[in-house]
């Protein structure tokens, strides 16, 4: 049997983006198939997997969800086990998330609890979003695998290993992707008056977008409009006829998302008039906020407080997005941060989570799950 460290390193080498996690799915299936199958039912969904572990005397089903996708980032860690998929990296820790889920699955399968468990290996968390369609599929095709309560964690580079952090209620923001295409007229650099320059239009729009949060959102509310990518033009002496802005919107309040989108649409219309061009907006995929079930989260933090090896923190909400919010929309549960002590943050090409988190978190999660299965107070 492979060590969990080996599994994490193997998975780290094969990052794949949303709904293309073919090798990842095959690797996970091989590991799952190597376990005693007596209590297991394994079903594939797209590039994801659902594993049901039958309890000894089940009255409920406890869910554990992990995301499985990587990011389109060129890794710069120089680790001996760095990504073999050029241009792709597990830069958000999903390799650690999967490994912990497999470790917990091994433990629960080896020494079952009274209740049943369902492990959801979910594709496409970074986009376009696997949680919502997976939830719908479970509801319609496999309601017997729908958990009564559900848990997930996310690595947190800023905390040391052994730290868990979460909060009752809102933890992560509402999100929407944002893609804006500006189409004008390309032409010779020496004759600007015969063109409609989309580099200038995009630059102007980019700056105007920055006024939304500062001038249209109540300062006591919170929002983010980030343009992470801006492309325009072909070569230095041709005026660009096409530019594209790619970004993301984050809001703490679901209604604030509408306010931000209304302002974006107004500024795009104004850009069309000002620069005599066509501007098209595509909101891509959006995620519902992650809102933890309050009583369960208070109990979780109490459990963590009493756990010998754990530092527990009631943290602030963050502008991160997570499609786990779609599971919590219908199923009680919570998401928590787990410290991995890296000077480089999430989505950074040098992110290097401390693998000790695996040996800490599997027993922590196992004892938490066992404590829940001994109670029927939810
Ligand atoms: C935990 C994390 O980093 N999640 C991602 C989710 C991305 C959602 C979507 N693709 C977007 O960019 O809006 C995040 O960036 O917060």
């Amino acid at each position: 049997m492979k060590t969990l460290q080996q599994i994490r390193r193997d998975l780290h080498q094969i990052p794949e983006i949303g709904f293309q996690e073919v090798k990842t799915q095959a690797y996970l299936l091989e590991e799952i198939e190597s376990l005693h199958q007596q209590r297991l039912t394994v079903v594939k969904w797209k590039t994801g997997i659902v594993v049901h572990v039958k309890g000894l005397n089940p009255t409920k089903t406890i869910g554990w969800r992990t995301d499985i996708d990587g990011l389109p980032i060129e890794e710069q860690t120089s680790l001996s086990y760095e990504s073999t998929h050029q241009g792709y990296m597990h830069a958000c820790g999903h390799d650690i998330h999967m490994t912990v889920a497999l470790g917990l699955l091994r433990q629960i399968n080896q020494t079952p609890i009274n209740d049943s468990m369902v492990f959801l290996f979910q594709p496409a968390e970074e986009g376009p979003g696997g949680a919502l369609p997976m939830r719908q599929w479970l509801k319609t095709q496999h309601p017997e695998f729908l958990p009564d309560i559900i848990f997930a964690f996310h690595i947190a580079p800023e905390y040391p290993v052994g730290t868990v952090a979460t909060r009752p209620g809102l933890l992560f923001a509402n999100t929407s992707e944002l893609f804006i295409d500006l189409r004008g007229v390309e032409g010779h650099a020496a004759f600007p008056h015969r063109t409609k320059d989309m580099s200038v239009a995009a630059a102007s729009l980019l700056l105007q977008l920055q006024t939304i949060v500062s001038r249209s959102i109540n300062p006591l509310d919170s929002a983010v409009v980030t343009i992470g990518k801006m492309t325009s033009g072909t070569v230095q002496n041709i005026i660009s006829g096409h530019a594209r802005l790619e970004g993301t919107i984050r809001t703490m309040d679901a209604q604030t998302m509408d306010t931000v989108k209304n302002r974006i649409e107004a500024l795009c219309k104004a850009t069309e008039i000002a620069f005599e061009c066509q501007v098209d907006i595509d909101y891509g995929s959006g995620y519902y906020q992650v809102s933890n079930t309050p009583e369960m989260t208070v109990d979780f933090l109490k459990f963590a407080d009493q756990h010998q090896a754990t530092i527990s923190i009631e943290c602030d909400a963050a502008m991160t997005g997570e499609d786990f919010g779609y599971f919590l929309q219908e199923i009680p549960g919570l998401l928590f941060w787990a410290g991995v002590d890296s000077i480089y943050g999430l989505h950074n090409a040098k992110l290097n989570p401390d693998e000790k988190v695996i040996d800490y978190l599997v027993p922590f999660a196992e004892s938490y799950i066992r404590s829940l299965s001994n109670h029927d107070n939810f």
Side-chain angles (χ1 to χ4, degrees):
M1 192 178 255
K2 286 186 199 124
T3 64
L4 291 179
Q5 185 192 57
Q6 186 59 51
I7 289 176
R8 185 266 158 158
R9 292 181 176 197
D10 291 345
L11 288 167
H12 188 80
Q13 290 195 293
I14 54 165
E16 296 162 299
I17 55 169
F19 291 124
Q20 293 179 29
E21 305 95 332
V22 177
K23 287 192 204 168
T24 307
Q25 185 190 46
Y27 185 95
L28 292 170
L29 277 173
E30 201 179 311
E31 283 310 308
I32 293 161
E33 280 159 10
S34 74
L35 303 174
H36 288 300
Q37 297 294 301
Q38 201 191 351
R39 298 194 160 271
L40 302 187
T41 311
V42 182
V43 186
K44 285 200 268 181
W45 173 75
K46 295 182 186 278
T47 46
I49 308 168
V50 176
V51 186
H52 183 269
V53 191
K54 193 172 183 321
L56 297 168
N57 187 14
T59 56
K60 57 189 177 290
T61 302
I62 301 174
W64 189 275
R65 172 275 203 173
T66 173
D67 34 21
I68 67 169
D69 55 323
L71 281 159
I73 292 179
E74 181 71 36
E75 181 163 352
Q76 289 173 29
T77 59
S78 304
L79 292 166
S80 58
Y81 53 90
E82 76 180 354
S83 170
T84 57
H85 290 182
Q86 207 188 344
Y88 299 93
M89 178 187 174
H90 271 298
C92 204
H94 300 188
D95 50 343
I96 302 271
H97 301 174
M98 287 186 268
T99 307
V100 169
L102 278 176
L104 183 60
L105 169 59
R106 277 183 180 176
Q107 295 305 112
I108 298 295
N109 193 43
Q110 189 181 306
T111 314
I113 52 176
N114 281 335
D115 289 312
S116 296
M117 272 200 83
V118 70
F119 289 84
L120 304 176
F121 293 88
Q122 177 221 299
E125 185 276 328
E126 297 291 351
L132 182 59
M134 194 179 210
R135 187 191 82 188
Q136 304 294 46
W137 168 79
L138 279 171
K139 272 172 84 171
T140 53
Q141 307 299 311
H142 286 286
E144 72 279 17
F145 296 154
L146 263 181
D148 297 294
I149 51 172
I150 190 159
F151 302 94
F153 80 97
H154 203 291
I155 63 158
E158 64 273 34
Y159 297 129
V161 172
T163 312
V164 297
T166 189
R167 70 190 302 274
L170 188 78
L171 182 69
F172 286 179
N174 297 273
T175 74
S176 170
E177 293 175 350
L178 175 62
F179 304 97
I180 304 176
D181 281 291
L182 300 93
R183 291 185 180 82
V185 179
E186 191 180 71
H188 198 292
F191 305 102
H193 54 294
R194 294 184 196 146
T195 70
K196 304 293 171 205
D197 186 344
M198 289 306 99
S199 291
V200 176
S204 166
L205 177 58
L206 175 68
L207 292 180
Q208 290 176 58
L209 291 174
Q210 301 313 306
T211 66
I212 297 176
V213 175
S214 68
R215 285 297 167 268
S216 303
I217 303 300
N218 182 336
L220 299 179
D221 191 2
S222 303
V224 168
V225 179
T226 289
I227 299 298
K229 185 174 177 185
M230 180 177 185
T231 44
S232 185
T234 47
V235 290
Q236 123 283 347
N237 61 351
I238 297 178
I239 286 176
S240 168
H242 175 239
R244 184 170 163 88
L245 303 179
E246 301 180 31
T248 182
I249 312 166
R250 310 291 164 103
T251 67
M252 280 300 171
D253 186 282
Q255 279 177 353
T256 308
M257 181 61 78
D258 295 337
T259 310
V260 173
K261 286 184 174 176
N262 287 340
R263 290 304 302 147
I264 289 173
E265 285 154 31
L267 293 173
C268 286
K269 277 204 187 89
T271 302
E272 282 187 325
I273 296 166
F275 293 89
E276 298 176 288
C277 61
Q278 187 187 326
V279 181
D280 296 308
I281 305 170
D282 174 2
Y283 289 117
S285 61
Y287 295 168
Y288 186 67
Q289 64 198 28
V290 170
S291 192
N292 289 333
T293 306
E295 322 77 63
M296 284 178 65
T297 312
V298 170
D299 288 348
F300 171 84
L301 284 168
K302 272 189 205 148
F303 174 88
D305 253 346
Q306 284 157 14
H307 189 261
Q308 225 186 0
T310 299
I311 302 160
S312 82
I313 296 178
E314 184 166 339
C315 61
D316 290 334
M319 281 296 185
T320 344
E322 242 285 4
D323 63 352
F324 185 64
Y326 287 116
F327 287 113
L328 292 181
Q329 202 177 18
E330 298 201 344
I331 303 168
L334 63 98
L335 184 144
F336 62 94
W337 293 109
V340 292
D341 202 9
S342 164
I343 52 171
Y344 300 104
L346 300 175
H347 296 197
N348 187 301
K350 293 187 176 171
L351 172 76
N352 183 15
D354 186 339
E355 289 177 326
K356 286 203 281 294
V357 70
I358 299 166
D359 287 340
Y360 154 71
L361 207 51
V362 172
F364 171 83
E366 183 187 354
S367 51
Y368 175 62
I369 296 292
R370 288 192 190 283
S371 78
L372 289 179
S373 192
N374 292 334
H375 295 110
D376 48 7
N377 59 346
F378 52 80

